[in-house]
Amino acid sequence: MFSIGLTGGIGSGKSTVADLFAAHGVPVVDTDAIAHHITAPQGAAMAAIREQFGPEFVAPDGSMDRARMRALVFSDETARKRLEAITHPLIRYETERTSLAASGPYVIVVVPLLVESGTWKTRVERVLAVDCSVETQIARVMRRNGFTREQVLAIIARQATREARLAAADDIIVNDGATLEALSQDVDRLHARYLALAGSAGARG
Ligand code: ADP
C-alpha cells in the first residue's frame, strides 16, 4: 500500500496530525505502539531479550523491564545496538504486516525516529515531517508529561536536529503557533494530494 512516513521531534505534534489523518479514514500504524507491543508480556521480542540480556531485564509479568533497560542503553551504546538488533526487524515486520492488512487509500506510518534509524526512508513512499521550534517542543512536553525543561532538552539532544529532519522530508507541516483549525486544513490539503498520488501509484500497479 502507498505509505507516508510521519515523523517529527518529541512534542512536534505527530500524534495530533496522525489523528487528523485518521479522521479522514486513513489507517494509521504507530511504530511506537508496535515497539511497546513486542516488549509486552508474550511479546515477539521477549524470548530474545531474556536470552541475550538475562532474566533480570524481564519484569514479573513477562514484559521488558523498561526502566532497567532504559538505564542500560542510555549509558551503553553496544547494549543499545544489541537491543535494536532484536527489536528493529520485528518492528519493521509488524509494521509491514499491519499496513498490508489495513484498508484505506494509503497508510500513515508514524515513525518518531525515521531520520535517526536509517532504513525507514526507503520503506515509505514519502516522508512527512511535523515541524516546530525547540522552544515550542519544550513548552508542550513540559505541559503534557510534567517533565522539567532539562529533561525535555535531554530527549531532544538524542533526536535528529530540526534541520536533518526537514532535509529528509518530502512534505512539511509547520505546527508552531498553529490553531488546530489551521493544522486540520493543512492535513486536508495533504490528504487530497496523497489520495491523488496513491491513486496514480495504484493505476501504475
Ligand atoms: P508528538 O506526538 O509529536 O509527541 P503530540 O501530538 O502529542 O506530539 O503534541 C504534543 C502536545 O502538544 C499534545 O499535548 C498536543 O495536544 C499539543 N499540541 C500539539 N499541536 C498543538 C497545536 N497546534 N495547538 C495546541 N496544542 C497542540
Side-chain angles (χ1 to χ4, degrees):
M1 179 145 51
F2 195 81
S3 61
I4 310 292
L6 172 61
T7 194
I10 185 169
S12 58
K14 292 178 298 294
S15 313
T16 309
V17 167
D19 287 348
L20 291 168
F21 277 103
H24 282 286
V26 178
V28 174
V29 179
D30 181 346
T31 56
D32 263 357
I34 290 174
H36 203 272
H37 188 73
I38 63 171
T39 52
Q42 277 100 51
M46 288 316 301
I49 287 173
R50 180 187 291 273
E51 196 183 296
Q52 293 190 34
F53 289 88
E56 63 274 27
F57 284 88
V58 182
D61 69 355
S63 65
M64 183 171 75
D65 186 331
R66 291 175 205 287
R68 191 164 190 154
M69 188 61 88
R70 209 178 296 122
L72 175 70
V73 301
F74 190 79
S75 58
D76 183 341
E77 182 74 359
T78 311
R80 186 176 64 80
K81 291 228 163 72
R82 269 167 57 218
L83 178 65
E84 289 179 354
I86 298 171
T87 57
H88 283 186
L90 290 168
I91 295 169
R92 286 196 292 268
Y93 172 78
E94 271 304 302
T95 301
E96 193 140 323
R97 200 178 64 82
T98 314
S99 300
L100 286 171
S103 59
Y106 62 91
V107 62
I108 294 277
V109 183
V110 187
V111 191
L113 301 182
L114 185 143
V115 176
E116 294 83 340
S117 44
T119 68
W120 275 108
K121 202 166 152 40
T122 62
R123 293 174 180 270
V124 291
E125 263 72 37
R126 291 181 82 80
V127 174
L128 168 59
V130 185
D131 181 57
C132 70
S133 70
V134 169
E135 278 309 318
T136 301
Q137 286 181 279
I138 294 169
R140 285 192 188 135
V141 179
M142 286 176 71
R143 194 173 330 121
R144 184 189 64 189
N145 299 69
F147 289 173
T148 64
R149 184 181 177 85
E150 287 64 37
Q151 284 174 314
V152 187
L153 278 170
I155 295 168
I156 291 174
R158 293 202 304 275
Q159 299 188 339
T161 62
R162 211 178 158 184
E163 290 70 29
R165 218 177 276 115
L166 293 178
D170 299 293
D171 305 300
I172 295 161
I173 287 188
V174 178
N175 183 28
D176 218 339
T179 61
L180 285 181
E181 184 59 36
L183 200 59
S184 164
Q185 284 171 9
D186 284 343
V187 169
D188 292 352
R189 271 192 293 275
L190 279 171
H191 176 58
R193 180 130 173 251
Y194 292 159
L195 282 178
L197 287 170
S200 52
R204 280 201 309 275

